[in-house]
Amino acid sequence: MRYLIGETNWKMVTLSKAVADSGLLRTSCEAGEELADFHRMGQHDLLVLEASQLGRHVSLADLRAQRPDVPICLIASAPAPERIAHWLMAGADAVIEDTAALPEALARLSAVARRAHGVAHPLVERGPLLLDLERRRAHLGEVTLSLSPKLYEILEFLVLRPGRLAARDALLGHVYGFENEPAPRVFDVYMCNLRAHLQSVGPALKIETVRGAGYRLEVNERRKDARPLAA
């Protein structure tokens, strides 16, 4: 998954680094006045910002209107219960105190992000595929797939949207953020390699290319035993 994080003070920078160290993708925004633009243009699963930025550069109403499908987590310093209730009613999905230990904060962020995709816990099953969101691993039966970070991110993006069309631009934006995207042929090679890893289960799990539009993960719930991909 990818988080958009407003790195507007040292505590937010520390949290952002912990997110990156955990293996998650992140898009960092150091200027509060640019956060709304980053949110509008980016492809991320969660927005994390300091509560003190509200009213100065952004508003929950505007952020929610821009991307109603993206959950919002606020990091706040000793917030009063009334203030927390106000933020939640105004559009925030969670409020985390900035004194929370990093493991707790990361777990809370992860829970909010995955539940926005309708996933209750870190283990996601799609037909013969088991995806471990916490350990960032994919399993086909007894076989653990040897995926590069890029291949894992592509697979995770599709797994969290089963049967839905994933636009090519959205997928590229998610995997690369605002970095330079690869040449089209390079991304085609990634997709080819990912399909090769999944071919052992045949029609039980396949990535369909919708010409001119994007990709779709098709799942046949009838399970088959997976065979390791030959080296």
Side-chain angles (χ1 to χ4, degrees), residues 147-148 150-159 165-172 175-176 182-199 205-210 213-218 229:
L147 301 177
S148 68
K150 286 287 190 296
L151 290 186
Y152 174 84
E153 290 298 339
I154 294 170
L155 179 60
E156 182 189 81
F157 189 91
L158 296 172
V159 163
L165 178 65
R168 184 185 176 97
D169 288 346
L171 183 51
L172 284 168
V175 173
Y176 290 94
R185 290 294 184 186
V186 173
F187 192 74
D188 290 341
V189 170
Y190 283 148
M191 295 303 299
C192 182
N193 289 342
L194 183 55
R195 285 188 173 104
H197 281 283
L198 302 179
Q199 69 182 0
L205 192 73
K206 65 177 182 178
I207 299 173
E208 176 190 1
T209 298
V210 181
Y215 307 93
R216 180 185 293 115
L217 182 69
E218 295 291 349
L229 180 65

Side-chain angles (χ1 to χ4, degrees), residues 29-131:
C29 178
E30 299 177 0
E33 62 271 20
E34 296 177 353
L35 192 58
D37 289 335
F38 273 59
H39 184 52
R40 175 174 51 83
M41 296 185 296
Q43 293 293 332
H44 44 276
D45 301 282
L46 178 68
L47 169 61
V48 187
L49 71 152
E50 185 188 3
S52 64
Q53 294 298 308
L54 298 175
R56 297 170 58 188
H57 302 296
V58 294
S59 73
L60 282 171
D62 289 343
L63 293 173
R64 180 59 71 193
Q66 286 178 343
R67 302 287 299 280
D69 58 321
V70 177
I72 300 171
C73 281
L74 299 179
I75 308 299
S77 177
E82 296 80 8
R83 178 57 62 182
I84 294 175
H86 170 74
W87 288 330
L88 294 174
M89 293 297 291
D93 294 274
V95 179
I96 302 174
E97 290 202 39
D98 61 6
T99 55
L102 283 175
E104 176 188 346
L106 292 176
R108 288 178 178 272
L109 294 177
S110 176
V112 173
R114 68 173 181 265
R115 286 169 186 163
H117 290 287
V119 176
H121 50 78
L123 297 179
V124 184
E125 192 171 8
R126 298 286 186 251
L129 176 70
L130 182 66
L131 196 70

